[in-house]
Amino acid sequence: MEQIIINGGKKLKGSVCISGAKNAALAIIPATILAEGVSTIENLPNINDIKHLVIILESLGAKCSFLNETTLKIDATNIKKYRAEGDSVRKIRASYYLLGALLSRFKAAEVEMPGGCDFGGRPTDQHEKGFKLLGATTTMSHGLIKTEALNGLQGSNILLDVVSVGATINVMLAAVLAEGSTTIENCAREPHVVDTANLLNMMGADIKGAGTNVIRINGVKKLKGVNYTIIPDQIEAGTYMIAAAITGGDITVKNIIPQHMDPLTAKLVEMGCEVFEGDDYIRVRGSENLTAANVRTLAYPGFPTDLQPQITALMATTDGIGVITESVWDNRFQYVSELNRLGANITVDGRIAVTKGPSHLTGAKVTAIDLRAGAALVLAALNAEGMTVIDKAVQVGRGYENIEQKLKGLGADITVI
Ligand code: EPU
């Protein structure tokens, strides 16, 4: 994907089916390495980050084959290498899960520094702290993170200093095959943490408390390969819910877990949308008279930082002053200048953005600086009068399966080049 071209101003209507969760899949695929066997993972999103991960697993010696676009069979029996390197490792953030997974299986791991979106610093000190308390030493040299447990991994009590999705999952991966019991306190509670724990438990692990802020793990000797289905993507679902709001449309977002959407649902209702919830769908009806609100991002169950750029785009088109506070990342408002190019009136001071609306957005040439920033531009372009050309659309393809077809199905005038 190089460019996305959108002729905006159409009210989107109809229904859209949500794909499997990117951030669950990116943890679950590395987790399959823990079993010397075959696992089949279903409901994977068909996106670039998954393809990179498959390339990495194959480079380690796993045999991977797609049974269809969303089902991947992974035979991890013959993995012998514990060094992950190369372009794909450097391109995605989730390659850090290879540290926990390989450390668990081989008691040693070497992984090139991961990539991913640039939100200022993305430290891994909490991952390393967890590994250290389990008995591993981590060093960094020549762009390679090395971690090894010469005397094996032993269970421990780990209190994370910050709530981190990556550290929670990585420490969980390392602890499931450690000797004895581990407690992880101040854990992340995101749905993908729970999904990863569910997979590991199905593989034979003994993990309790995932989804709360204390996870207890009793180490086991061995795990087995399994068939597992990934949960729906909370952030993709939220992006289409906001698409209904920003175009004044009426969209039913299907194949989701509505409870995962609560913080967004509450905000859309507060802004004036009508929202109807079913067992596995949410219908959002926008309106031309939405009002701005205040949003603060927080770890789950707070408002997700990965929907912050999208709700900021919406807020710019609504009446009044909206204050968006980013509590998770140091520098996640870099995309605001691109929204302003489309006519938004947004000012940023550190971790706070203020929207003054309603702004009449008009099409222009803009650049997707990262994945969710790209999603925010797509949403703004759907609202904007005239044509918007979004460069670096590859960023959007990292996280949104078939965005062209899905938006066309809702009536958008969109072309992906
Ligand atoms: N942090 C530390 N030390 C650490 C780890 C994290 O200080 O060792 C801090 C970070 O600097 C940040 C906060 O803790 O301020 C939360 O970071 P977290 O570790 O939770 O983020 P992550 O695991 O690197 C995942 C998602 C991101 C999402 C965040 C927060 C994946 C592959 N990435 O990143 O998703 O923003 O959690 O929910 O799961 C996206 O999908 O667009 C995306 C960027």
Side-chain angles (χ1 to χ4, degrees), residues 41-104:
I41 308 299
E42 293 178 41
N43 199 33
L44 286 169
N46 184 10
I47 52 171
N48 296 349
D49 274 20
I50 300 297
K51 289 168 193 156
H52 285 301
L53 205 43
V54 170
I55 292 171
I56 300 168
L57 252 65
E58 285 179 333
S59 76
L60 294 171
K63 281 199 194 110
C64 300
S65 52
F66 279 97
L67 305 183
N68 57 48
E69 276 193 352
T70 58
T71 306
L72 177 67
K73 187 172 159 192
I74 304 163
D75 183 349
T77 315
N78 291 320
I79 296 184
K80 300 279 182 262
K81 274 176 69 177
Y82 55 84
R83 179 190 282 216
E85 56 194 339
D87 265 6
S88 290
V89 178
R90 291 191 301 271
K91 275 199 176 121
I92 62 170
R93 190 71 200 157
S95 38
Y96 58 22
Y97 290 134
L98 272 313
L99 281 170
L102 292 167
L103 178 65
S104 203

Coordinates of all heavy atoms in Angstrom, one line a residue, residues 41-104:
I41 N -3.5 -21.5 14.4 CA -4.1 -20.2 15.0 C -5.1 -19.7 13.9 O -4.7 -19.4 12.8 CB -3.0 -19.2 15.3 CG1 -1.9 -19.8 16.1 CG2 -3.6 -17.9 15.9 CD1 -2.3 -20.3 17.5
E42 N -6.3 -19.5 14.4 CA -7.4 -19.1 13.5 C -7.8 -17.6 13.8 O -7.5 -17.1 14.9 CB -8.6 -20.0 13.6 CG -8.3 -21.4 13.1 CD -9.5 -22.3 13.3 OE1 -10.7 -21.8 13.1 OE2 -9.3 -23.4 13.7
N43 N -8.5 -17.0 12.8 CA -8.9 -15.6 12.9 C -7.8 -14.6 13.0 O -7.9 -13.6 13.7 CB -9.9 -15.5 14.1 CG -10.8 -14.2 13.9 OD1 -11.1 -13.8 12.8 ND2 -11.1 -13.5 15.0
L44 N -6.7 -14.9 12.3 CA -5.6 -14.0 12.3 C -6.0 -12.8 11.3 O -6.6 -13.1 10.3 CB -4.3 -14.6 11.7 CG -3.6 -15.6 12.7 CD1 -2.6 -16.4 11.9 CD2 -2.9 -14.8 13.8
P45 N -5.6 -11.6 11.7 CA -5.8 -10.5 10.7 C -4.8 -10.7 9.5 O -3.7 -11.0 9.8 CB -5.5 -9.3 11.5 CG -4.6 -9.7 12.6 CD -4.9 -11.1 12.9
N46 N -5.3 -10.4 8.3 CA -4.4 -10.5 7.1 C -3.7 -9.2 6.9 O -4.1 -8.4 6.1 CB -5.3 -10.9 6.0 CG -4.5 -11.1 4.7 OD1 -3.3 -11.2 4.7 ND2 -5.2 -11.2 3.6
I47 N -2.7 -9.0 7.7 CA -2.0 -7.6 7.7 C -0.5 -7.9 7.7 O 0.0 -9.0 8.0 CB -2.3 -6.8 9.0 CG1 -2.1 -7.7 10.3 CG2 -3.8 -6.3 8.9 CD1 -2.2 -6.9 11.6
N48 N 0.3 -6.8 7.3 CA 1.7 -6.9 7.1 C 2.5 -7.4 8.4 O 3.4 -8.2 8.3 CB 2.3 -5.6 6.7 CG 1.7 -5.1 5.4 OD1 1.1 -5.9 4.7 ND2 2.0 -3.9 5.0
D49 N 2.1 -6.9 9.6 CA 2.9 -7.2 10.8 C 2.9 -8.7 11.0 O 3.9 -9.3 11.5 CB 2.3 -6.5 12.0 CG 2.9 -5.1 12.2 OD1 3.4 -4.5 11.2 OD2 2.8 -4.6 13.3
I50 N 1.8 -9.4 10.7 CA 1.7 -10.9 10.8 C 2.7 -11.5 9.9 O 3.4 -12.5 10.2 CB 0.3 -11.4 10.6 CG1 -0.7 -10.7 11.6 CG2 0.2 -12.9 10.6 CD1 -0.5 -11.0 13.0
K51 N 2.7 -11.0 8.6 CA 3.6 -11.6 7.6 C 5.1 -11.5 8.1 O 5.9 -12.4 7.9 CB 3.4 -10.9 6.3 CG 2.0 -11.4 5.7 CD 1.5 -10.6 4.5 CE 0.1 -10.9 4.3 NZ -0.7 -9.9 3.6
H52 N 5.4 -10.3 8.7 CA 6.8 -10.2 9.2 C 7.1 -11.2 10.3 O 8.2 -11.8 10.3 CB 7.0 -8.8 9.8 CG 7.1 -7.7 8.7 ND1 8.1 -7.7 7.8 CD2 6.4 -6.6 8.5 CE1 8.0 -6.7 7.0 NE2 6.9 -6.0 7.4
L53 N 6.1 -11.4 11.1 CA 6.3 -12.4 12.2 C 6.5 -13.8 11.7 O 7.3 -14.6 12.2 CB 5.1 -12.3 13.2 CG 5.3 -12.7 14.6 CD1 6.6 -12.2 15.2 CD2 4.1 -12.2 15.4
V54 N 5.8 -14.1 10.7 CA 5.9 -15.5 10.1 C 7.3 -15.6 9.5 O 8.0 -16.7 9.6 CB 4.8 -15.7 9.0 CG1 5.0 -16.9 8.2 CG2 3.4 -15.8 9.7
I55 N 7.8 -14.6 8.8 CA 9.2 -14.6 8.2 C 10.2 -14.8 9.4 O 11.1 -15.6 9.2 CB 9.5 -13.3 7.5 CG1 8.6 -13.2 6.2 CG2 11.0 -13.2 7.2 CD1 8.7 -11.8 5.5
I56 N 10.0 -14.2 10.5 CA 10.9 -14.3 11.6 C 10.9 -15.8 12.2 O 11.9 -16.4 12.4 CB 10.6 -13.3 12.8 CG1 10.6 -11.9 12.3 CG2 11.5 -13.5 13.9 CD1 10.1 -10.8 13.2
L57 N 9.6 -16.3 12.3 CA 9.5 -17.7 12.9 C 10.2 -18.7 12.0 O 10.9 -19.6 12.4 CB 8.1 -18.0 13.1 CG 7.7 -18.1 14.6 CD1 7.7 -16.7 15.2 CD2 6.3 -18.6 14.8
E58 N 10.0 -18.5 10.6 CA 10.6 -19.4 9.7 C 12.1 -19.3 9.7 O 12.8 -20.3 9.6 CB 10.1 -19.1 8.3 CG 8.7 -19.6 8.1 CD 8.1 -19.4 6.7 OE1 8.5 -18.4 6.1 OE2 7.2 -20.2 6.3
S59 N 12.6 -18.1 9.9 CA 14.1 -17.9 10.0 C 14.7 -18.6 11.2 O 15.9 -18.9 11.3 CB 14.5 -16.4 10.0 OG 14.2 -15.9 11.3
L60 N 13.8 -18.8 12.2 CA 14.3 -19.6 13.4 C 14.2 -21.1 13.2 O 14.8 -21.8 14.0 CB 13.4 -19.2 14.6 CG 13.5 -17.7 15.1 CD1 12.5 -17.4 16.2 CD2 14.9 -17.4 15.7
G61 N 13.5 -21.5 12.2 CA 13.4 -23.0 11.9 C 12.0 -23.5 12.0 O 11.8 -24.7 11.9
A62 N 11.0 -22.6 12.3 CA 9.6 -23.1 12.4 C 9.1 -23.3 11.0 O 9.6 -22.7 10.0 CB 8.8 -22.1 13.1
K63 N 8.2 -24.3 10.8 CA 7.5 -24.5 9.5 C 6.2 -23.8 9.6 O 5.3 -24.2 10.4 CB 7.4 -25.9 9.2 CG 8.6 -26.6 8.7 CD 8.2 -27.9 8.0 CE 9.5 -28.7 7.8 NZ 9.6 -29.9 8.6
C64 N 5.9 -22.8 8.8 CA 4.7 -22.1 8.8 C 3.9 -22.2 7.5 O 4.5 -22.1 6.5 CB 4.9 -20.6 9.1 SG 5.7 -20.3 10.6
S65 N 2.6 -22.5 7.6 CA 1.8 -22.5 6.3 C 0.5 -21.9 6.6 O -0.2 -22.3 7.6 CB 1.8 -23.9 5.7 OG 1.3 -24.8 6.7
F66 N 0.0 -21.0 5.7 CA -1.3 -20.5 5.8 C -2.3 -21.5 5.2 O -2.2 -21.9 4.1 CB -1.4 -19.1 5.1 CG -0.9 -18.0 5.9 CD1 0.4 -17.5 5.7 CD2 -1.7 -17.4 6.9 CE1 0.9 -16.5 6.5 CE2 -1.2 -16.4 7.7 CZ 0.1 -15.9 7.5
L67 N -3.3 -22.0 6.0 CA -4.3 -22.9 5.5 C -5.3 -22.1 4.8 O -6.0 -22.7 3.9 CB -4.9 -23.7 6.7 CG -3.9 -24.5 7.6 CD1 -4.6 -25.3 8.6 CD2 -3.0 -25.4 6.8
N68 N -5.6 -20.9 5.1 CA -6.3 -19.9 4.3 C -5.8 -18.6 4.8 O -4.8 -18.5 5.6 CB -7.8 -20.1 4.5 CG -8.2 -20.0 6.0 OD1 -7.8 -19.1 6.7 ND2 -9.0 -20.9 6.4
E69 N -6.4 -17.5 4.3 CA -5.9 -16.1 4.6 C -5.7 -15.8 6.1 O -4.9 -15.0 6.5 CB -6.8 -15.1 4.0 CG -6.5 -14.9 2.5 CD -7.1 -13.6 2.0 OE1 -7.9 -13.0 2.7 OE2 -6.8 -13.3 0.8
T70 N -6.6 -16.5 6.9 CA -6.6 -16.1 8.3 C -6.2 -17.3 9.3 O -6.4 -17.1 10.5 CB -8.0 -15.6 8.7 OG1 -9.0 -16.6 8.4 CG2 -8.4 -14.4 7.9
T71 N -5.8 -18.4 8.7 CA -5.5 -19.5 9.6 C -4.0 -19.9 9.3 O -3.6 -20.2 8.2 CB -6.4 -20.7 9.3 OG1 -7.7 -20.3 9.4 CG2 -6.1 -21.9 10.3
L72 N -3.2 -20.0 10.4 CA -1.8 -20.3 10.2 C -1.5 -21.5 11.0 O -1.8 -21.6 12.2 CB -1.0 -19.1 10.7 CG 0.5 -19.2 10.8 CD1 1.1 -19.3 9.3 CD2 1.2 -18.0 11.5
K73 N -0.8 -22.4 10.3 CA -0.3 -23.6 11.0 C 1.2 -23.4 11.3 O 2.0 -23.0 10.4 CB -0.5 -24.8 10.1 CG -0.2 -26.2 10.7 CD -0.7 -27.2 9.8 CE 0.0 -28.5 10.1 NZ -0.1 -29.5 9.1
I74 N 1.6 -23.6 12.5 CA 3.0 -23.4 12.9 C 3.5 -24.6 13.5 O 3.0 -25.1 14.5 CB 3.1 -22.2 14.0 CG1 2.5 -20.9 13.5 CG2 4.6 -22.0 14.4 CD1 2.2 -19.9 14.6
D75 N 4.6 -25.2 12.9 CA 5.2 -26.4 13.5 C 6.5 -25.9 14.1 O 7.5 -25.5 13.4 CB 5.5 -27.4 12.4 CG 6.1 -28.7 13.0 OD1 6.5 -28.6 14.2 OD2 6.2 -29.7 12.3
A76 N 6.6 -25.8 15.4 CA 7.7 -25.2 16.1 C 8.7 -26.3 16.6 O 9.7 -26.0 17.3 CB 7.2 -24.4 17.3
T77 N 8.5 -27.6 16.1 CA 9.3 -28.7 16.6 C 10.8 -28.5 16.4 O 11.6 -28.7 17.3 CB 8.8 -30.0 15.9 OG1 7.4 -30.0 15.9 CG2 9.4 -31.2 16.6
N78 N 11.1 -28.0 15.2 CA 12.5 -28.0 14.8 C 13.2 -26.7 15.0 O 14.2 -26.4 14.4 CB 12.7 -28.5 13.4 CG 12.4 -30.0 13.3 OD1 12.7 -30.7 14.2 ND2 11.6 -30.4 12.3
I79 N 12.6 -25.8 15.8 CA 13.3 -24.5 16.1 C 14.6 -24.9 16.9 O 14.5 -25.5 17.9 CB 12.5 -23.5 16.8 CG1 11.3 -23.2 16.0 CG2 13.3 -22.3 17.2 CD1 10.4 -22.1 16.6
K80 N 15.7 -24.5 16.3 CA 17.0 -24.7 17.0 C 17.7 -23.4 17.4 O 18.5 -23.3 18.3 CB 18.0 -25.5 16.1 CG 17.4 -26.9 15.7 CD 17.6 -28.0 16.8 CE 17.0 -29.3 16.3 NZ 15.7 -29.6 16.8
K81 N 17.4 -22.3 16.6 CA 18.1 -21.1 16.7 C 17.4 -20.2 17.8 O 16.1 -20.3 17.9 CB 18.0 -20.3 15.4 CG 19.1 -20.6 14.4 CD 18.9 -19.8 13.1 CE 19.1 -18.3 13.3 NZ 19.0 -17.6 12.0
Y82 N 18.1 -19.5 18.5 CA 17.4 -18.5 19.4 C 17.9 -17.1 19.1 O 17.8 -16.2 20.0 CB 17.7 -18.9 20.9 CG 19.1 -19.1 21.3 CD1 19.8 -18.0 21.7 CD2 19.7 -20.4 21.4 CE1 21.2 -18.1 22.1 CE2 21.0 -20.5 21.8 CZ 21.7 -19.4 22.1 OH 23.0 -19.6 22.5
R83 N 18.4 -16.9 17.9 CA 18.7 -15.5 17.5 C 17.8 -15.0 16.4 O 17.7 -15.6 15.3 CB 20.2 -15.4 17.0 CG 20.5 -14.0 16.6 CD 21.8 -13.9 15.9 NE 22.9 -13.9 16.8 CZ 24.0 -13.2 16.6 NH1 24.2 -12.4 15.6 NH2 25.0 -13.3 17.5
A84 N 17.0 -14.0 16.7 CA 16.1 -13.4 15.7 C 16.7 -12.1 15.2 O 16.9 -11.2 16.0 CB 14.7 -13.2 16.3
E85 N 16.9 -12.0 13.9 CA 17.5 -10.8 13.3 C 17.0 -10.6 11.9 O 16.3 -11.5 11.3 CB 19.0 -10.9 13.3 CG 19.6 -12.1 12.6 CD 21.1 -12.3 12.8 OE1 21.7 -11.4 13.3 OE2 21.5 -13.5 12.6
G86 N 17.2 -9.4 11.3 CA 16.8 -9.2 10.0 C 15.7 -8.1 9.9 O 15.3 -7.6 10.9
D87 N 15.4 -7.7 8.6 CA 14.5 -6.6 8.4 C 13.2 -6.7 9.1 O 12.7 -5.8 9.7 CB 14.2 -6.6 6.9 CG 15.1 -5.7 6.1 OD1 16.0 -5.1 6.7 OD2 14.8 -5.5 4.9
S88 N 12.6 -7.9 9.1 CA 11.3 -8.1 9.7 C 11.3 -7.8 11.2 O 10.4 -7.2 11.8 CB 10.7 -9.5 9.4 OG 10.4 -9.6 8.0
V89 N 12.4 -8.3 11.8 CA 12.6 -8.1 13.3 C 12.6 -6.6 13.6 O 12.0 -6.1 14.5 CB 13.9 -8.7 13.8 CG1 14.0 -8.5 15.3 CG2 13.8 -10.2 13.5
R90 N 13.4 -5.9 12.7 CA 13.6 -4.4 13.0 C 12.3 -3.6 12.6 O 12.2 -2.5 13.0 CB 14.8 -3.9 12.2 CG 16.1 -4.4 12.7 CD 17.3 -3.7 12.0 NE 17.3 -3.8 10.6 CZ 17.9 -4.8 9.9 NH1 18.5 -5.7 10.6 NH2 17.8 -4.9 8.6
K91 N 11.4 -4.2 11.8 CA 10.2 -3.4 11.3 C 9.1 -3.4 12.3 O 8.3 -2.5 12.4 CB 9.7 -4.0 10.0 CG 10.5 -3.4 8.8 CD 9.8 -3.5 7.5 CE 10.5 -2.8 6.4 NZ 10.9 -3.7 5.4
I92 N 8.9 -4.4 13.2 CA 7.7 -4.5 14.0 C 8.1 -4.5 15.5 O 9.2 -4.9 15.9 CB 6.9 -5.8 13.7 CG1 7.7 -7.1 14.0 CG2 6.4 -5.8 12.3 CD1 6.8 -8.3 14.0
R93 N 7.2 -3.9 16.3 CA 7.4 -3.8 17.7 C 7.4 -5.2 18.4 O 8.1 -5.5 19.3 CB 6.3 -2.9 18.3 CG 6.5 -2.5 19.7 CD 7.7 -1.5 19.8 NE 8.2 -1.4 21.1 CZ 9.5 -1.0 21.3 NH1 10.2 -0.6 20.3 NH2 9.9 -0.9 22.5
A94 N 6.5 -6.0 17.9 CA 6.2 -7.3 18.5 C 7.3 -8.3 18.5 O 7.3 -9.3 19.1 CB 4.9 -7.9 17.9
S95 N 8.4 -8.0 17.8 CA 9.5 -8.9 17.8 C 10.1 -9.0 19.2 O 10.8 -10.0 19.5 CB 10.6 -8.6 16.7 OG 10.8 -7.2 16.6
Y96 N 9.8 -8.0 20.1 CA 10.3 -8.2 21.5 C 9.7 -9.4 22.2 O 10.2 -9.9 23.1 CB 10.1 -6.9 22.3 CG 8.7 -6.3 22.5 CD1 7.5 -7.1 22.3 CD2 8.5 -5.0 22.8 CE1 6.3 -6.6 22.5 CE2 7.3 -4.4 23.0 CZ 6.2 -5.2 22.8 OH 4.9 -4.7 23.0
Y97 N 8.5 -9.9 21.7 CA 8.0 -11.1 22.3 C 8.8 -12.4 22.0 O 8.7 -13.4 22.7 CB 6.5 -11.4 21.8 CG 5.5 -10.4 22.3 CD1 4.6 -9.8 21.5 CD2 5.5 -10.0 23.7 CE1 3.7 -8.9 22.0 CE2 4.6 -9.1 24.1 CZ 3.7 -8.5 23.3 OH 2.8 -7.6 23.8
L98 N 9.7 -12.3 21.0 CA 10.6 -13.4 20.8 C 11.6 -13.5 22.0 O 12.1 -14.6 22.2 CB 11.5 -13.1 19.5 CG 10.9 -13.6 18.2 CD1 10.4 -15.0 18.3 CD2 9.8 -12.7 17.6
L99 N 11.9 -12.4 22.7 CA 12.8 -12.5 23.8 C 12.2 -13.4 24.9 O 12.8 -14.3 25.3 CB 13.0 -11.1 24.4 CG 14.0 -10.1 23.7 CD1 13.8 -8.7 24.3 CD2 15.4 -10.7 23.9
G100 N 10.9 -13.1 25.3 CA 10.3 -13.9 26.3 C 10.1 -15.4 25.8 O 10.3 -16.3 26.6
A101 N 9.7 -15.5 24.6 CA 9.3 -16.9 24.1 C 10.6 -17.7 23.9 O 10.6 -18.9 24.4 CB 8.6 -16.8 22.7
L102 N 11.7 -17.2 23.4 CA 12.9 -18.0 23.2 C 13.6 -18.2 24.5 O 14.2 -19.3 24.7 CB 13.8 -17.3 22.2 CG 13.3 -17.2 20.7 CD1 14.1 -16.2 19.9 CD2 13.3 -18.6 20.1
L103 N 13.5 -17.2 25.4 CA 14.1 -17.4 26.7 C 13.4 -18.5 27.4 O 14.1 -19.3 28.1 CB 14.0 -16.1 27.5 CG 14.5 -16.1 28.9 CD1 16.1 -16.3 28.9 CD2 14.2 -14.8 29.7
S104 N 12.1 -18.6 27.3 CA 11.4 -19.6 27.9 C 11.8 -21.0 27.4 O 12.0 -21.9 28.2 CB 9.9 -19.4 27.6 OG 9.1 -20.0 28.6

